[in-house]
C-alpha cells in the first residue's frame, strides 16, 4: 500500500470512547441496552478486535492496523439508531444500515479527526461493508480495508449464529426467524447453489439450515489468510455443521467445505 495510513493508537481510542458513549446513549432507564443492541455492541467490539488482529498478521504497518480496527469498530454504528427507530435490523424494512452508519460517523465528525486519505478509506469501508460484493470502481487504497472489515464481519457472524443456535437464543434474531422455518433441511435451490459454488439469492433462504449453507459458501469470499486461519482454528465448519439436521447431502456439504478451506489456505 502506498501512502500508508498514519492513524495512531490515541486516535483509535478516541473513536472507541466516542463509540462506547454513543452506544450507551441507547440504554434504557435501567442502564441496559435492549438485547438486540447489546448484541450489536458486542459484535462491533469483536469485529474491531478481529480486524486489528487480521491486519497485524497480514503484516500491515501500525497506522493501517489502527485504521482497520477503527473501520471494524464503526462499520455498524448505524445499527443503534436503526433499531431505535424501526425496531428491526432488516434493511429492506428500514434503512440501508451501512449508509446509516456512515451518516452517524459523519455526524460525530470522526472523518475530520483523520487525514483526508484515511477519512476516504474509512468512509468507503463502512459504506460498502454490506454490499453483495465490493464494487470494481472502489479506490485502490480503500479496497484492502473494505475486504478486511467484510472478513472480520463474517467471522463474527459465524460466531453469533453458532452461539445463538447452541444456546437456544435465536429468538434474539427476529429479523431472521420471522421469515424462515427454524427446523428442516436446506432447501433444494440453496443446496444446488452450494454445490455449484454460486451465490444464494435472498429469496431462496427458507430455513435456518439455508443460512448455515450460505455461511459455508462464504469460505470462498474471505480475502485474508489470517481470516481463513481463524475459520480453521475456531473449528467453524464443524461448529456450524453441528446445527444442520440430517439430510442426504449433509456429509458432502461438510466435506466440500473442509476441502475448500484447505485449498484456500494452500493457495494463500
Ligand atoms: Fe453491518
Amino acid at each position: 500500500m502506498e501512502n500508508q495510513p498514519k492513524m495512531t493508537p490515541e486516535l483509535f481510542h478516541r473513536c472507541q470512547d466516542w463509540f462506547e458513549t454513543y452506544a450507551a446513549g441507547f440504554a434504557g432507564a435501567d442502564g441496559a441496552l435492549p438485547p438486540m443492541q447489546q448484541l450489536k455492541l458486542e459484535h462491533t467490539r469483536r469485529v474491531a478486535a478481529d480486524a486489528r488482529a487480521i491486519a497485524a498478521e497480514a503484516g500491515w504497518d501500525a497506522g493501517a492496523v489502527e485504521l482497520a480496527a477503527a473501520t471494524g469498530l464503526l462499520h455498524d454504528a448505524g445499527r443503534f439508531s436503526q433499531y431505535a427507530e424501526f425496531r428491526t435490523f432488516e434493511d429492506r424494512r428500514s434503512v440501508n444500515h451501512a449508509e446509516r452508519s456512515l451518516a452517524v460517523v459523519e455526524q460525530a465528525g470522526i472523518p475530520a479527526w483523520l487525514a483526508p486519505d484515511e477519512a476516504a478509506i474509512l468512509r468507503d469501508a463502512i459504506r460498502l461493508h454490506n454490499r453483495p460484493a465490493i464494487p470494481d470502481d472502489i479506490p485502490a487504497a480503500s479496497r484492502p480495508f473494505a475486504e478486511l472489515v467484510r472478513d472480520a464481519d463474517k467471522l463474527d457472524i459465524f460466531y453469533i449464529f453458532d452461539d445463538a443456535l447452541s444456546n437456544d437464543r435465536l429468538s434474539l434474531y427476529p429479523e431472521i426467524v420471522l421469515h424462515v422455518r427454524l427446523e428442516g433441511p436446506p432447501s433444494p435451490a440453496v443446496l444446488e447453489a452450494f454445490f455449484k459454488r454460486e451465490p444464494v439469492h435472498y429469496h431462496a433462504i427458507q430455513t435456518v439450515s439455508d443460512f448455515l449453507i450460505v455461511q459455508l459458501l462464504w469460505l470462498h469470499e474471505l480475502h485474508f489468510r489470517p481470516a481463513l486461519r481463524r475459520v480453521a482454528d475456531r473449528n467453524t465448519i464443524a461448529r456450524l455443521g453441528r446445527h444442520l439436521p440430517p439430510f442426504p447431502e449433509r456429509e458432502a456439504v461438510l466435506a466440500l467445505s473442509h476441502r475448500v478451506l484447505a485449498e484456500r489456505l494452500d493457495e494463500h
Side-chain angles (χ1 to χ4, degrees):
M1 275 178 282
E2 287 173 32
N3 300 320
Q4 291 269 9
K6 304 288 185 294
M7 187 162 168
T8 60
E10 291 70 27
L11 261 177
F12 174 77
H13 285 300
R14 191 172 169 195
C15 292
Q16 202 172 31
D17 287 346
W18 171 81
F19 176 75
E20 293 287 336
T21 304
Y22 175 75
F26 291 87
D30 62 353
L33 286 176
M36 297 290 285
Q37 287 170 321
Q38 182 65 29
L39 188 82
K40 283 297 169 192
L41 177 60
E42 290 167 14
H43 163 69
T44 294
R45 290 171 179 156
R46 287 189 301 258
V47 170
D50 268 350
R52 170 181 296 284
I54 293 167
E57 284 175 40
W60 291 15
D61 81 358
V65 170
E66 297 300 330
L67 187 55
T71 60
L73 184 72
L74 299 172
H75 81 285
D76 263 352
R79 285 301 200 183
F80 298 92
S81 69
Q82 179 189 36
Y83 190 76
E85 216 173 301
F86 301 99
R87 295 284 143 189
T88 182
F89 288 144
E90 203 180 5
D91 288 8
R92 288 168 193 79
R93 296 197 289 129
S94 54
V95 290
N96 179 328
H97 79 272
E99 303 285 351
R100 174 63 67 97
S101 297
L102 183 57
V104 167
V105 165
E106 296 283 5
Q107 176 75 29
I110 292 171
W113 303 351
L114 311 177
D117 54 335
E118 296 172 33
I121 288 170
L122 179 74
R123 289 186 172 109
D124 287 338
I126 293 174
R127 191 168 53 82
L128 301 174
H129 89 264
N130 67 339
R131 297 277 183 91
I134 298 173
D136 289 336
D137 61 355
I138 185 175
S142 298
R143 177 174 287 279
F145 290 86
E147 290 176 345
L148 193 143
V149 76
R150 290 164 67 98
D151 277 15
D153 200 16
K154 285 184 173 69
L155 289 179
D156 200 60
I157 295 169
F158 295 145
Y159 167 80
I160 285 178
F161 258 77
D162 175 45
D163 179 63
L165 288 165
S166 300
N167 299 297
D168 218 16
R169 291 198 278 128
L170 209 58
S171 60
L172 284 173
Y173 308 90
E175 76 271 27
I176 292 164
V177 295
L178 274 180
H179 300 295
V180 303
R181 298 192 302 280
L182 292 183
E183 310 291 336
S187 309
V190 171
L191 278 176
E192 190 184 329
F194 177 83
F195 285 112
K196 285 185 177 166
R197 313 276 87 194
E198 287 172 357
V200 174
H201 195 273
Y202 171 79
H203 295 293
I205 297 173
Q206 294 174 9
T207 64
V208 168
S209 297
D210 289 339
F211 267 109
L212 293 166
I213 299 291
V214 166
Q215 289 179 48
L216 292 172
L217 260 180
W218 286 350
L219 297 178
H220 287 286
E221 295 187 29
L222 294 173
H223 300 89
F224 288 88
R225 183 181 169 85
L228 290 161
R229 192 68 254 160
R230 280 166 170 71
V231 170
D233 292 347
R234 295 173 185 177
N235 208 12
T236 298
I237 295 170
R239 282 180 171 277
L240 294 176
R242 281 186 317 189
H243 305 297
L244 286 171
F247 60 97
E249 303 88 346
R250 189 176 184 282
E251 293 318 308
V253 164
L254 295 177
L256 179 55
S257 301
H258 283 292
R259 198 163 73 232
V260 166
L261 177 61
E263 282 170 6
R264 295 224 48 214
L265 278 166
D266 269 354
E267 84 199 17
H268 270 69

